[in-house]
Amino acid sequence: MNTKDITNESLTERVKFNFIRYANCWEDADILLKALDIQEGGRVLSIGSAGDNSFSLLTANPELVMAIDVSEVQLFLIELKKVAFLHLEYDEVLAFLGFRKSERRLSLFHKIKPKLSSSTRLYWEEHRKQIKKGIIFRGKFEKYFKFFRTKVLPFIHTKKTVNRLLEDKTEAEQEQFYEDKWNNFQWKGLFKLFFSRKVMGKYGRDKAFMNEVEGSVSTFVLDKTIEHLKSDKAQDNYFLHFILKGNFGEELPHYVRPENFAVIRERLDRLQVFKGYAQDAFDTGIDFDYLNLSNIFEYMDDATFEEVAQNIAENTQKGAKIAYWNLMVTRSLATFSDDFEANTLLSEELSTIDKGFFYQKFLLDSRQ
């Protein structure tokens, strides 16, 4: 059985991909760009997801970014964002996607829909409600956070307390606020219930995505969250702002910051989308210099991980850089094979400033 067969059997036959799972990328593009340090003319393979980080990689002036995803619906989302960038002005893009309040989203959709491919246009015409409500809020994962924010969090803290958590203060003041004002009985109890394996598997991620996780999911997530909430880094973390307040606030994700809009728009012809698994991209004959693999190893059993790691080793050249995240499952290319070398110091440095506070660690390896 080859790598693709294993992956297909372990994921596509057990997980539905006919809806938006992620309307946003939940990995930190800032540390991804620092890690890969893409040189002009480089060729990048990037897990598609919601497209955000694939757009961000264009700011490094690569020759090509291939956004790959097994979900056709996620690729429909990427194309929608791409066409919005190409044919709307910056403020219109923010309004259309949901970063700013707007009653014009459907009219903006009518403006850009002739530019969409036929299959993408058909999908979004049948899902106009998602566009009207702001597409960045409409993924399953984002709806999960909304349920927490609107139905669970009010039993833990008032909006005033949430605002105070995110106010500017010193590290010592942040930790003291957490201990004195935030860390109550309801917080620990309801948090662990809501972010349990069962609840998260049903309403947030798919339960199949946690097959390789050992131990308590809720304890892991709570420990990582506590560590972050005690830090002053929580105060301007747009991921945390979205989870607790329902929007990104003024600290926008990298790809929609005003200083990046023009350069991303100018280079969108270098962005390709591809349906399949990461290893399928190697069949295109493109030699990739950089790989953004998100946290794809999280979903693999040991045998599948070893097959995929070997496939990467056989299809990348010396010096290629591979960036990826560990969430609740520890996977390391460098530990698996001497074909890879871990960039330990940089990985540890970037992990400490990762806005994706729920991840165990960020890793950067190089092909030897």
Side-chain angles (χ1 to χ4, degrees), residues 93-239:
V93 169
L94 293 184
F96 177 68
L97 296 181
F99 291 97
R100 298 290 181 263
K101 292 182 178 180
S102 178
E103 300 296 326
R104 299 180 54 219
R105 293 187 187 122
L106 289 181
S107 64
L108 292 172
F109 172 64
H110 287 299
K111 179 178 178 180
I112 68 172
K113 73 176 185 179
K115 307 297 183 180
L116 297 169
S117 65
S118 58
S119 56
T120 301
R121 182 170 63 250
L122 177 62
Y123 178 84
W124 290 113
E125 284 180 336
E126 292 176 348
H127 294 83
R128 295 185 186 190
K129 183 178 179 180
Q130 294 180 327
I131 292 174
K132 184 177 181 179
K133 292 190 173 184
I135 197 63
I136 64 170
F137 305 112
R138 304 307 296 167
K140 180 179 179 180
F141 202 52
E142 288 76 18
K143 292 176 184 177
Y144 178 60
F145 286 141
K146 180 180 179 180
F147 190 87
F148 173 75
R149 184 182 71 256
T150 59
K151 305 299 183 181
V152 179
L153 190 57
F155 288 100
I156 302 173
H157 289 300
T158 64
K159 290 183 179 179
K160 180 179 179 181
T161 303
V162 172
N163 289 336
R164 289 181 62 193
L165 176 76
L166 301 176
E167 287 176 354
D168 288 340
K169 49 182 105 54
T170 66
E171 183 97 7
E173 290 170 338
Q174 182 78 13
E175 183 172 356
Q176 194 66 46
F177 179 85
Y178 176 84
E179 296 293 355
D180 293 347
K181 303 296 183 181
W182 191 270
N183 190 27
N184 58 27
F185 175 79
Q186 296 95 316
W187 160 247
K188 290 179 287 190
L190 291 175
F191 186 98
K192 291 190 74 171
L193 175 64
F194 189 79
F195 290 97
S196 66
R197 183 189 298 260
K198 182 177 181 179
V199 175
M200 187 183 295
K202 184 173 182 179
Y203 297 107
R205 309 172 80 217
D206 193 280
K207 62 180 181 179
F209 291 169
M210 293 181 281
N211 282 353
E212 298 301 310
V213 178
E214 298 179 356
S216 170
V217 170
S218 60
T219 298
F220 173 86
V221 178
L222 179 60
D223 288 346
K224 295 297 294 183
T225 303
I226 290 172
E227 179 184 353
H228 190 66
L229 295 190
K230 287 183 176 181
S231 168
D232 60 358
K233 296 182 182 68
Q235 297 160 18
D236 58 0
N237 186 334
Y238 55 79
F239 287 148

Side-chain angles (χ1 to χ4, degrees), residues 159-331:
K159 290 183 179 179
K160 180 179 179 181
T161 303
V162 172
N163 289 336
R164 289 181 62 193
L165 176 76
L166 301 176
E167 287 176 354
D168 288 340
K169 49 182 105 54
T170 66
E171 183 97 7
E173 290 170 338
Q174 182 78 13
E175 183 172 356
Q176 194 66 46
F177 179 85
Y178 176 84
E179 296 293 355
D180 293 347
K181 303 296 183 181
W182 191 270
N183 190 27
N184 58 27
F185 175 79
Q186 296 95 316
W187 160 247
K188 290 179 287 190
L190 291 175
F191 186 98
K192 291 190 74 171
L193 175 64
F194 189 79
F195 290 97
S196 66
R197 183 189 298 260
K198 182 177 181 179
V199 175
M200 187 183 295
K202 184 173 182 179
Y203 297 107
R205 309 172 80 217
D206 193 280
K207 62 180 181 179
F209 291 169
M210 293 181 281
N211 282 353
E212 298 301 310
V213 178
E214 298 179 356
S216 170
V217 170
S218 60
T219 298
F220 173 86
V221 178
L222 179 60
D223 288 346
K224 295 297 294 183
T225 303
I226 290 172
E227 179 184 353
H228 190 66
L229 295 190
K230 287 183 176 181
S231 168
D232 60 358
K233 296 182 182 68
Q235 297 160 18
D236 58 0
N237 186 334
Y238 55 79
F239 287 148
L240 182 64
H241 200 281
F242 186 100
I243 293 167
L244 296 181
K245 301 192 71 173
N247 59 72
F248 288 110
E250 297 304 315
E251 299 291 335
L252 295 172
H254 181 274
Y255 83 110
V256 284
R257 293 174 193 162
E259 63 270 22
N260 297 325
F261 178 72
V263 68
I264 291 175
R265 170 190 262 187
E266 179 184 340
R267 296 171 182 169
L268 279 171
D269 61 332
R270 307 180 196 180
L271 178 70
Q272 296 182 12
V273 296
F274 187 95
K275 185 176 183 296
Y277 290 96
Q279 58 269 27
D280 294 325
F282 298 129
D283 293 338
T284 64
I286 298 171
D287 290 326
F288 294 102
D289 310 295
Y290 308 92
L291 281 69
N292 160 35
L293 297 184
S294 181
N295 65 326
I296 65 169
F297 302 139
E298 184 85 7
Y299 315 137
M300 302 176 184
D301 60 26
D302 289 339
T304 307
F305 169 69
E306 292 175 6
E307 290 271 3
V308 173
Q310 186 63 37
N311 190 281
I312 294 171
E314 292 172 354
N315 289 279
T316 51
Q317 301 297 319
K318 183 176 180 180
K321 294 182 178 181
I322 305 102
Y324 54 103
W325 279 262
N326 281 180
L327 183 56
M328 289 176 277
V329 179
T330 301
R331 294 277 190 261

Side-chain angles (χ1 to χ4, degrees), residues 6 20 54 58 73-74 78 121 134 185 238 241 254 258 303 313 315:
I6 293 174
I20 296 174
S54 299
L58 292 170
V73 175
Q74 293 295 150
I78 295 173
R121 182 170 63 250
F185 175 79
Y238 55 79
H241 200 281
H254 181 274
N315 289 279

